[in-house]
Amino acid sequence: MATWANLGLQDSSSPLMEQLNFFHDHTLLILTMITILVGYIMGMLMFNKFTNRFLLHGQTIEIIWTVLPAIILMFIAFPSLRLLYLMDEINTPSITLKSIGHQWYWSYEYSDFLNLEFDSYMIPTNELETNGFRLLDVDNRVVLPMNNQVRILVTATDVLHSWTVPSLGVKVDATPGRLNQINFLINRPGLFFGQCSEICGANHSFMPIVIESIPMNFFIKWITSMTN
């Protein structure tokens, strides 16, 4: 989850988010190099007293400053497209979870099991325990097994919502009348927090998401206790 004075991205908890972090650093390095180069050239133009009489007519330099940016853009575009296709790929999921956005709470259905569904509301501040997280904790957490492919089906019943968990690199629009899906794998146990990321009305800020990632044997016990 996000912490005070955290200026960067959250620590990744899935392979896709790890790749997104790498892509962010890769692109930032290219942007830094471009900024330094352009700044240096502008500084030289402003502070030197030499005049190049061929500056307004040079086919070679025009080819260089046209081709070089195109090559730099390719170094950004190819990793970006690779990531886009990876995020869109569905890899034989072990479990399917359906998330439905309402004003202003989420409801979940475990499609692989009979009669396993619940609503997830934010815990009000006056009911929060001492170790709870204000505006982030919910009464019913989503429990998912770690190291397993999980498919999330996302929709809404009223207005646009967005099911977002930053540390997993997941952000899916919840649209009424449409079913969107995304695939991810959680590679460590823990609690992962998210919030609705689409302005959806007065209480948009108060519909958090909490995922509890646990080993598969504990998940089977949880499923058994919920379905009995």
Side-chain angles (χ1 to χ4, degrees), residues 54-203:
F54 299 113
L55 185 65
L56 299 178
H57 180 76
Q59 194 168 359
T60 307
I61 190 65
E62 286 177 4
I63 291 171
I64 291 170
W65 71 40
T66 303
V67 173
L68 195 61
I71 294 170
I72 292 169
L73 285 175
M74 286 168 63
F75 274 98
I76 297 173
F78 285 135
S80 173
L81 288 170
R82 170 181 163 271
L83 259 179
L84 278 173
Y85 280 101
L86 276 176
M87 293 174 71
D88 207 37
E89 191 70 31
I90 302 297
N91 304 310
T92 53
S94 304
I95 186 169
T96 299
L97 175 72
K98 186 177 182 183
S99 173
I100 305 166
H102 307 268
Q103 287 183 309
W104 287 274
Y105 65 96
W106 296 98
S107 58
Y108 298 99
E109 300 174 7
Y110 287 78
S111 308
D112 303 301
F113 307 97
L114 293 174
N115 302 321
L116 182 48
E117 53 188 69
F118 52 83
D119 296 331
S120 181
Y121 289 87
M122 186 194 77
I123 301 174
T125 306
N126 58 345
E127 296 176 16
L128 204 61
E129 295 181 8
T130 312
N131 59 351
F133 295 104
R134 179 177 170 273
L135 302 184
L136 283 178
D137 257 324
V138 295
D139 55 357
N140 292 310
R141 294 170 176 167
V142 176
V143 179
L144 292 173
M146 59 180 280
N147 292 327
N148 281 272
Q149 291 289 340
V150 179
R151 174 172 57 187
I152 302 284
L153 304 174
V154 184
T155 187
T157 57
D158 35 46
V159 298
L160 289 175
H161 299 280
S162 185
W163 199 85
T164 306
V165 183
S167 60
L168 300 178
V170 175
K171 187 185 180 79
V172 196
D173 282 345
T175 311
R178 181 184 175 90
L179 204 61
N180 291 326
Q181 71 172 353
I182 198 164
N183 189 75
F184 63 85
L185 180 144
I186 308 173
N187 57 17
R188 58 182 173 138
L191 291 178
F192 307 108
F193 295 87
Q195 289 175 299
C196 176
S197 297
E198 189 76 55
I199 295 174
C200 56
N203 292 331

Side-chain angles (χ1 to χ4, degrees), residues 51 192 206:
T51 302
F192 307 108
F206 310 116

